[in-house]
Amino acid sequence: MPEAEKSEIRSLVDTYLRYLVAVRTLSPRTVDAYGVDLDRFCRFVEDEGCGLELSPSLVRRFVAELKDTLSPASSARALSSIRGFYRYAVKQGDVVSNPFASVRGKGRERHLPEVLSEVEASELLSFSGNGFIGVRDKLLMELLYSTGARVSEAVGIDMLDLDTKKRTVKLLGKGDRQRIAYLGPQAMSALATYLPYRRARVASDKKDAVQALFLNAHGERLTRRGAGFILRKHQERLASGKRLHPHLFRHSFATHLLDRGADIRTVQELLGHADLSTTGIYTHVSLKRLQDVYRNAHPHGSTGSVGKKEQKS
Protein backbone atom coordinates (compact mmCIF):
# COMPACT_ATOMS: atom_id res chain seq x y z
CA MET A 1 0.00 0.00 0.00
CA PRO A 2 1.55 3.37 -1.05
CA GLU A 3 2.74 5.62 1.75
CA ALA A 4 0.57 8.48 0.48
CA GLU A 5 -2.57 6.37 0.83
CA LYS A 6 -1.57 5.40 4.38
CA SER A 7 -1.26 9.07 5.21
CA GLU A 8 -4.71 9.74 3.78
CA ILE A 9 -6.31 7.16 6.07
CA ARG A 10 -4.49 8.46 9.11
CA SER A 11 -5.42 12.01 8.12
CA LEU A 12 -9.11 11.10 7.96
CA VAL A 13 -8.92 9.53 11.40
CA ASP A 14 -7.14 12.57 12.82
CA THR A 15 -9.82 14.85 11.34
CA TYR A 16 -12.53 12.67 12.89
CA LEU A 17 -10.91 12.76 16.32
CA ARG A 18 -10.69 16.56 16.13
CA TYR A 19 -14.37 16.60 15.20
CA LEU A 20 -15.20 14.55 18.31
CA VAL A 21 -13.42 17.14 20.45
CA ALA A 22 -14.60 20.35 18.75
CA VAL A 23 -18.15 19.45 17.66
CA ARG A 24 -19.23 16.47 19.74
CA THR A 25 -17.36 17.89 22.78
CA LEU A 26 -16.44 14.42 24.00
CA SER A 27 -14.05 14.16 26.93
CA PRO A 28 -10.30 13.69 26.24
CA ARG A 29 -10.50 10.26 27.84
CA THR A 30 -13.27 9.15 25.48
CA VAL A 31 -11.48 10.54 22.42
CA ASP A 32 -8.29 8.75 23.46
CA ALA A 33 -10.24 5.48 23.58
CA TYR A 34 -11.57 6.15 20.06
CA GLY A 35 -8.01 6.87 18.96
CA VAL A 36 -6.72 3.51 20.25
CA ASP A 37 -9.49 1.62 18.47
CA LEU A 38 -9.05 3.49 15.19
CA ASP A 39 -5.28 3.12 15.29
CA ARG A 40 -5.78 -0.64 15.43
CA PHE A 41 -8.08 -0.40 12.41
CA CYS A 42 -5.62 1.79 10.49
CA ARG A 43 -2.86 -0.77 11.04
CA PHE A 44 -5.14 -3.51 9.72
CA VAL A 45 -6.01 -1.49 6.60
CA GLU A 46 -2.36 -0.65 6.01
CA ASP A 47 -1.22 -4.27 6.47
CA GLU A 48 -3.90 -5.53 4.10
CA GLY A 49 -3.01 -2.90 1.49
CA CYS A 50 -6.64 -1.90 0.95
CA GLY A 51 -8.53 1.36 1.08
CA LEU A 52 -11.44 2.24 3.34
CA GLU A 53 -13.94 0.52 1.02
CA LEU A 54 -13.50 -2.87 2.69
CA SER A 55 -14.90 -6.04 1.14
CA PRO A 56 -17.15 -8.29 3.26
CA SER A 57 -14.33 -10.84 3.55
CA LEU A 58 -11.94 -8.21 4.95
CA VAL A 59 -14.58 -7.04 7.41
CA ARG A 60 -15.00 -10.62 8.63
CA ARG A 61 -11.21 -11.00 8.90
CA PHE A 62 -10.90 -7.83 10.96
CA VAL A 63 -13.77 -8.82 13.26
CA ALA A 64 -12.16 -12.24 13.75
CA GLU A 65 -8.88 -10.52 14.65
CA LEU A 66 -10.65 -8.40 17.25
CA LYS A 67 -12.29 -11.46 18.80
CA ASP A 68 -8.94 -13.27 18.92
CA THR A 69 -7.08 -10.43 20.63
CA LEU A 70 -9.65 -8.53 22.72
CA SER A 71 -12.30 -9.26 25.33
CA PRO A 72 -15.93 -9.25 24.12
CA ALA A 73 -16.50 -5.83 25.71
CA SER A 74 -13.35 -4.30 24.17
CA SER A 75 -14.17 -5.85 20.80
CA ALA A 76 -17.68 -4.38 20.89
CA ARG A 77 -16.28 -0.98 21.84
CA ALA A 78 -13.77 -1.07 18.96
CA LEU A 79 -16.50 -1.93 16.46
CA SER A 80 -18.64 0.90 17.82
CA SER A 81 -15.72 3.33 17.35
CA ILE A 82 -15.19 2.17 13.77
CA ARG A 83 -18.90 2.39 12.91
CA GLY A 84 -18.91 5.97 14.22
CA PHE A 85 -15.87 6.83 12.13
CA TYR A 86 -17.48 5.42 8.98
CA ARG A 87 -20.73 7.29 9.61
CA TYR A 88 -18.69 10.48 9.72
CA ALA A 89 -16.70 9.51 6.61
CA VAL A 90 -19.90 8.78 4.65
CA LYS A 91 -21.38 12.17 5.60
CA GLN A 92 -18.18 13.88 4.52
CA GLY A 93 -18.21 12.04 1.19
CA ASP A 94 -14.92 10.25 1.86
CA VAL A 95 -16.48 6.79 1.40
CA VAL A 96 -19.63 5.56 -0.27
CA SER A 97 -20.92 3.22 2.43
CA ASN A 98 -20.23 1.91 5.91
CA PRO A 99 -19.01 -1.71 5.66
CA PHE A 100 -19.43 -2.15 9.43
CA ALA A 101 -23.02 -0.85 9.57
CA SER A 102 -24.55 -4.25 10.34
CA VAL A 103 -21.65 -5.69 12.35
CA ARG A 104 -22.23 -6.00 16.07
CA GLY A 105 -19.92 -7.39 18.71
CA LYS A 106 -20.98 -9.26 21.81
CA GLY A 107 -20.70 -6.67 24.57
CA ARG A 108 -20.27 -7.07 28.26
CA GLU A 109 -23.25 -8.41 30.17
CA ARG A 110 -25.03 -5.55 31.86
CA HIS A 111 -25.36 -5.98 35.60
CA LEU A 112 -28.01 -4.24 37.62
CA PRO A 113 -26.45 -1.37 39.56
CA GLU A 114 -26.31 -1.64 43.32
CA VAL A 115 -28.53 0.87 45.12
CA LEU A 116 -29.23 2.04 48.64
CA SER A 117 -32.59 1.21 50.13
CA GLU A 118 -34.56 4.23 51.28
CA VAL A 119 -33.84 3.22 54.87
CA GLU A 120 -30.10 2.98 54.16
CA ALA A 121 -30.11 6.39 52.47
CA SER A 122 -31.89 7.90 55.47
CA GLU A 123 -29.46 6.33 57.94
CA LEU A 124 -26.43 7.34 55.89
CA LEU A 125 -27.55 10.97 55.76
CA SER A 126 -28.73 11.21 59.36
CA PHE A 127 -25.51 12.76 60.72
CA SER A 128 -25.35 16.54 61.27
CA GLY A 129 -21.62 17.13 60.76
CA ASN A 130 -19.27 19.28 62.82
CA GLY A 131 -17.01 22.06 61.59
CA PHE A 132 -16.14 22.79 57.97
CA ILE A 133 -15.26 19.20 57.06
CA GLY A 134 -18.38 17.72 58.64
CA VAL A 135 -20.90 20.13 57.15
CA ARG A 136 -19.22 19.96 53.72
CA ASP A 137 -19.36 16.16 53.74
CA LYS A 138 -23.02 16.32 54.73
CA LEU A 139 -23.84 18.73 51.90
CA LEU A 140 -21.92 16.68 49.33
CA MET A 141 -23.89 13.54 50.10
CA GLU A 142 -27.22 15.35 50.40
CA LEU A 143 -26.65 17.04 47.03
CA LEU A 144 -25.62 13.81 45.29
CA TYR A 145 -28.74 12.05 46.57
CA SER A 146 -31.08 15.01 46.02
CA THR A 147 -29.98 15.70 42.42
CA GLY A 148 -28.56 12.43 41.08
CA ALA A 149 -25.53 14.42 39.94
CA ARG A 150 -22.39 12.73 38.72
CA VAL A 151 -19.46 13.49 41.00
CA SER A 152 -17.77 15.50 38.21
CA GLU A 153 -20.91 17.62 37.95
CA ALA A 154 -21.08 18.14 41.73
CA VAL A 155 -17.49 19.32 42.15
CA GLY A 156 -17.92 21.52 39.07
CA ILE A 157 -20.77 23.52 40.62
CA ASP A 158 -20.05 27.25 40.96
CA MET A 159 -21.78 29.57 43.38
CA LEU A 160 -23.50 31.28 40.45
CA ASP A 161 -25.08 27.96 39.48
CA LEU A 162 -27.18 27.99 42.64
CA ASP A 163 -30.63 29.55 42.82
CA THR A 164 -31.63 29.32 46.46
CA LYS A 165 -35.01 30.98 45.86
CA LYS A 166 -36.03 28.39 43.29
CA ARG A 167 -34.09 25.66 45.14
CA THR A 168 -32.28 24.62 41.97
CA VAL A 169 -28.73 24.12 40.81
CA LYS A 170 -27.39 24.17 37.25
CA LEU A 171 -25.30 21.12 36.35
CA LEU A 172 -22.91 20.78 33.43
CA GLY A 173 -22.98 17.20 32.21
CA LYS A 174 -21.41 15.10 29.49
CA GLY A 175 -20.99 16.83 26.15
CA ASP A 176 -21.33 20.19 27.92
CA ARG A 177 -25.08 19.61 28.21
CA GLN A 178 -26.62 21.77 30.92
CA ARG A 179 -29.60 20.79 33.03
CA ILE A 180 -31.42 22.04 36.09
CA ALA A 181 -31.54 19.86 39.20
CA TYR A 182 -33.69 20.36 42.26
CA LEU A 183 -32.57 20.60 45.87
CA GLY A 184 -34.82 19.00 48.45
CA PRO A 185 -35.39 20.41 51.95
CA GLN A 186 -32.57 18.38 53.49
CA ALA A 187 -30.10 19.51 50.82
CA MET A 188 -31.20 23.14 51.23
CA SER A 189 -30.74 22.88 55.00
CA ALA A 190 -27.26 21.37 54.55
CA LEU A 191 -26.41 24.14 52.08
CA ALA A 192 -27.48 26.89 54.51
CA THR A 193 -25.32 25.34 57.22
CA TYR A 194 -22.31 24.96 54.91
CA LEU A 195 -22.15 28.40 53.27
CA PRO A 196 -20.86 30.35 56.32
CA TYR A 197 -18.08 27.78 56.77
CA ARG A 198 -17.25 28.05 53.08
CA ARG A 199 -16.97 31.84 53.20
CA ALA A 200 -14.50 31.57 56.08
CA ARG A 201 -12.43 28.87 54.35
CA VAL A 202 -12.24 29.95 50.68
CA ALA A 203 -8.81 30.85 49.29
CA SER A 204 -9.77 34.35 48.18
CA ASP A 205 -6.62 34.81 46.10
CA LYS A 206 -7.62 31.99 43.73
CA LYS A 207 -10.36 32.75 41.22
CA ASP A 208 -11.49 29.14 40.78
CA ALA A 209 -11.82 28.68 44.54
CA VAL A 210 -13.90 31.87 44.85
CA GLN A 211 -16.30 30.50 42.23
CA ALA A 212 -16.49 26.92 43.53
CA LEU A 213 -19.23 25.60 45.81
CA PHE A 214 -17.31 22.64 47.19
CA LEU A 215 -13.90 23.32 48.73
CA ASN A 216 -11.21 21.08 50.13
CA ALA A 217 -9.43 21.60 53.45
CA HIS A 218 -7.05 24.10 51.79
CA GLY A 219 -9.88 26.32 50.56
CA GLU A 220 -9.50 25.26 46.94
CA ARG A 221 -12.03 23.58 44.64
CA LEU A 222 -12.76 20.00 45.64
CA THR A 223 -11.68 17.44 43.03
CA ARG A 224 -13.35 14.21 41.92
CA ARG A 225 -10.66 12.25 43.74
CA GLY A 226 -11.23 14.30 46.85
CA ALA A 227 -14.96 13.63 46.70
CA GLY A 228 -14.31 9.91 46.39
CA PHE A 229 -12.04 10.03 49.43
CA ILE A 230 -14.77 11.82 51.42
CA LEU A 231 -17.27 9.09 50.66
CA ARG A 232 -14.84 6.33 51.58
CA LYS A 233 -14.46 8.01 54.99
CA HIS A 234 -18.18 7.47 55.58
CA GLN A 235 -18.17 3.86 54.33
CA GLU A 236 -18.53 2.50 57.86
CA ARG A 237 -21.91 4.23 58.17
CA LEU A 238 -23.37 1.56 55.89
CA ALA A 239 -24.05 -1.54 57.97
CA SER A 240 -24.82 -3.51 54.80
CA GLY A 241 -21.18 -3.34 53.72
CA LYS A 242 -22.06 -1.80 50.34
CA ARG A 243 -19.21 0.16 48.80
CA LEU A 244 -19.95 3.85 49.15
CA HIS A 245 -19.10 5.59 45.88
CA PRO A 246 -20.55 8.64 44.06
CA HIS A 247 -22.59 6.64 41.54
CA LEU A 248 -24.30 4.74 44.35
CA PHE A 249 -26.16 7.98 45.14
CA ARG A 250 -27.00 8.49 41.45
CA HIS A 251 -28.29 4.93 41.10
CA SER A 252 -30.33 5.29 44.28
CA PHE A 253 -31.73 8.67 43.20
CA ALA A 254 -33.07 7.22 39.95
CA THR A 255 -34.36 4.00 41.47
CA HIS A 256 -36.18 5.70 44.33
CA LEU A 257 -37.88 8.11 41.92
CA LEU A 258 -39.13 5.22 39.79
CA ASP A 259 -40.16 3.24 42.88
CA ARG A 260 -42.38 6.15 43.86
CA GLY A 261 -44.03 6.44 40.46
CA ALA A 262 -41.90 8.93 38.51
CA ASP A 263 -42.12 8.74 34.72
CA ILE A 264 -39.00 7.28 33.12
CA ARG A 265 -38.64 10.23 30.72
CA THR A 266 -38.69 12.62 33.68
CA VAL A 267 -35.94 10.57 35.31
CA GLN A 268 -34.03 10.65 32.02
CA GLU A 269 -34.14 14.46 32.04
CA LEU A 270 -33.13 14.67 35.69
CA LEU A 271 -30.18 12.36 35.12
CA GLY A 272 -29.09 14.16 31.95
CA HIS A 273 -29.11 11.00 29.83
CA ALA A 274 -29.04 11.68 26.09
CA ASP A 275 -30.52 8.25 25.34
CA LEU A 276 -33.58 6.79 27.07
CA SER A 277 -32.09 3.30 26.82
CA THR A 278 -29.41 4.35 29.31
CA THR A 279 -32.11 5.22 31.85
CA GLY A 280 -33.87 1.93 31.14
CA ILE A 281 -31.50 -0.01 33.39
CA TYR A 282 -33.24 1.55 36.39
CA THR A 283 -36.60 0.16 35.38
CA HIS A 284 -35.03 -3.29 35.65
CA VAL A 285 -33.71 -2.40 39.10
CA SER A 286 -37.18 -1.32 40.22
CA LEU A 287 -38.73 -4.46 38.73
CA LYS A 288 -36.25 -6.62 40.61
CA ARG A 289 -37.07 -4.79 43.85
CA LEU A 290 -40.77 -5.40 43.26
CA GLN A 291 -40.06 -9.08 42.64
CA ASP A 292 -38.06 -9.29 45.86
CA VAL A 293 -40.91 -7.69 47.81
CA TYR A 294 -43.35 -10.15 46.26
CA ARG A 295 -41.20 -13.16 47.08
CA ASN A 296 -40.73 -12.06 50.67
CA ALA A 297 -44.28 -10.86 51.37
CA HIS A 298 -46.74 -12.92 49.32
CA PRO A 299 -47.95 -16.22 50.81
CA HIS A 300 -47.13 -18.02 47.55
CA GLY A 301 -43.82 -16.23 47.06
CA SER A 302 -40.71 -18.40 47.14
CA THR A 303 -39.74 -17.14 50.61
CA GLY A 304 -43.21 -16.13 51.88
CA SER A 305 -44.02 -17.17 55.43
CA VAL A 306 -46.95 -19.38 54.44
CA GLY A 307 -44.90 -20.98 51.71
CA LYS A 308 -42.21 -21.82 54.28
CA LYS A 309 -44.74 -23.41 56.65
CA GLU A 310 -46.21 -25.48 53.86
CA GLN A 311 -42.74 -26.68 52.86
CA LYS A 312 -42.04 -27.82 56.45
CA SER A 313 -45.36 -29.68 56.88
Side-chain angles (χ1 to χ4, degrees), residues 116 121 124-127 134-164 167-172 179-195 198 211-215 221-222 227 230-231 244-254 256-257 270-271:
L116 296 167
L124 181 63
L125 297 170
S126 63
F127 75 103
V135 298
R136 181 209 55 196
D137 293 3
K138 168 77 169 176
L139 174 61
L140 177 62
M141 289 193 282
E142 286 284 5
L143 185 139
L144 289 172
Y145 181 55
S146 182
T147 65
R150 302 176 179 93
V151 67
S152 58
E153 296 168 344
V155 298
I157 295 172
D158 288 336
M159 294 297 295
L160 291 177
D161 295 327
L162 293 167
D163 189 329
T164 55
R167 298 187 175 189
T168 61
V169 60
K170 183 167 61 179
L171 300 176
L172 186 63
R179 71 182 187 280
I180 298 297
Y182 300 92
L183 299 172
Q186 290 88 342
M188 288 298 298
S189 176
L191 176 64
T193 303
Y194 168 74
L195 289 179
R198 178 198 170 277
Q211 295 174 336
L213 170 62
F214 287 108
L215 304 177
R221 184 186 292 273
L222 185 67
I230 288 170
L231 297 183
L244 188 57
H245 57 90
H247 249 57
L248 184 61
F249 288 96
R250 184 169 167 85
H251 295 326
S252 304
F253 165 84
H256 295 171
L257 282 173
L270 291 172
L271 289 172

Side-chain angles (χ1 to χ4, degrees), residues 13-47:
V13 168
D14 288 344
T15 301
Y16 175 61
L17 294 177
R18 289 194 294 270
Y19 160 80
L20 295 180
V21 173
V23 180
R24 295 279 306 281
T25 63
L26 299 185
S27 70
R29 192 173 180 178
T30 301
V31 175
D32 286 345
Y34 273 94
V36 170
D37 294 333
L38 291 172
D39 177 68
R40 179 187 295 272
F41 177 65
C42 284
R43 282 187 275 113
F44 173 83
V45 170
E46 292 165 355
D47 291 344

Side-chain angles (χ1 to χ4, degrees), residues 4-300:
E5 193 171 353
K6 288 184 184 179
S7 298
E8 181 182 359
I9 292 171
R10 296 280 181 178
S11 178
L12 286 173
V13 168
D14 288 344
T15 301
Y16 175 61
L17 294 177
R18 289 194 294 270
Y19 160 80
L20 295 180
V21 173
V23 180
R24 295 279 306 281
T25 63
L26 299 185
S27 70
R29 192 173 180 178
T30 301
V31 175
D32 286 345
Y34 273 94
V36 170
D37 294 333
L38 291 172
D39 177 68
R40 179 187 295 272
F41 177 65
C42 284
R43 282 187 275 113
F44 173 83
V45 170
E46 292 165 355
D47 291 344
E48 292 295 332
C50 60
L52 285 177
E53 304 283 356
L54 269 66
S55 66
S57 63
L58 281 175
V59 171
R60 288 193 296 271
R61 190 182 306 171
F62 179 72
V63 172
E65 181 181 298
L66 289 181
K67 292 181 177 179
D68 287 342
T69 57
L70 298 177
S71 68
S74 296
S75 176
R77 189 198 70 182
L79 289 172
S80 176
S81 300
I82 294 165
R83 283 195 301 272
F85 166 67
Y86 267 101
R87 284 195 297 270
Y88 172 82
V90 169
K91 287 182 180 179
Q92 297 300 311
D94 296 313
V95 293
V96 175
S97 62
N98 182 350
F100 290 87
S102 60
V103 179
R104 292 292 184 274
K106 184 179 179 181
R108 182 187 309 165
E109 182 183 352
R110 296 188 73 182
H111 297 286
L112 297 181
E114 191 172 49
V115 299
L116 296 167
S117 69
E118 292 189 29
V119 171
E120 286 175 326
S122 178
E123 291 177 348
L124 181 63
L125 297 170
S126 63
F127 75 103
S128 56
N130 296 311
F132 169 77
I133 298 297
V135 298
R136 181 209 55 196
D137 293 3
K138 168 77 169 176
L139 174 61
L140 177 62
M141 289 193 282
E142 286 284 5
L143 185 139
L144 289 172
Y145 181 55
S146 182
T147 65
R150 302 176 179 93
V151 67
S152 58
E153 296 168 344
V155 298
I157 295 172
D158 288 336
M159 294 297 295
L160 291 177
D161 295 327
L162 293 167
D163 189 329
T164 55
K165 290 184 178 180
K166 294 182 179 179
R167 298 187 175 189
T168 61
V169 60
K170 183 167 61 179
L171 300 176
L172 186 63
K174 291 183 178 181
D176 285 340
R177 292 190 295 271
Q178 291 186 350
R179 71 182 187 280
I180 298 297
Y182 300 92
L183 299 172
Q186 290 88 342
M188 288 298 298
S189 176
L191 176 64
T193 303
Y194 168 74
L195 289 179
Y197 285 96
R198 178 198 170 277
R199 284 193 292 270
R201 183 62 64 102
V202 64
S204 57
D205 60 330
K206 297 185 178 180
K207 183 179 179 181
D208 189 49
V210 172
Q211 295 174 336
L213 170 62
F214 287 108
L215 304 177
N216 61 23
H218 302 292
E220 300 171 347
R221 184 186 292 273
L222 185 67
T223 64
R224 289 179 59 182
R225 180 175 294 182
F229 175 76
I230 288 170
L231 297 183
R232 287 194 295 274
K233 282 195 312 178
H234 293 271
Q235 176 76 50
E236 61 187 28
R237 299 181 60 80
L238 277 179
S240 64
K242 291 176 182 176
R243 187 171 69 88
L244 188 57
H245 57 90
H247 249 57
L248 184 61
F249 288 96
R250 184 169 167 85
H251 295 326
S252 304
F253 165 84
T255 304
H256 295 171
L257 282 173
L258 288 167
D259 283 348
R260 288 174 171 260
D263 177 80
I264 188 171
R265 289 198 176 273
T266 301
V267 176
Q268 177 193 3
E269 291 294 325
L270 291 172
L271 289 172
H273 284 160
D275 192 334
L276 185 63
S277 64
T278 308
T279 317
I281 187 67
Y282 297 110
T283 63
H284 299 305
V285 175
S286 292
L287 178 59
K288 182 179 183 300
R289 286 158 68 92
L290 287 173
Q291 290 172 335
D292 290 342
V293 169
Y294 170 79
R295 292 192 187 102
N296 289 323
H298 193 278
H300 290 180

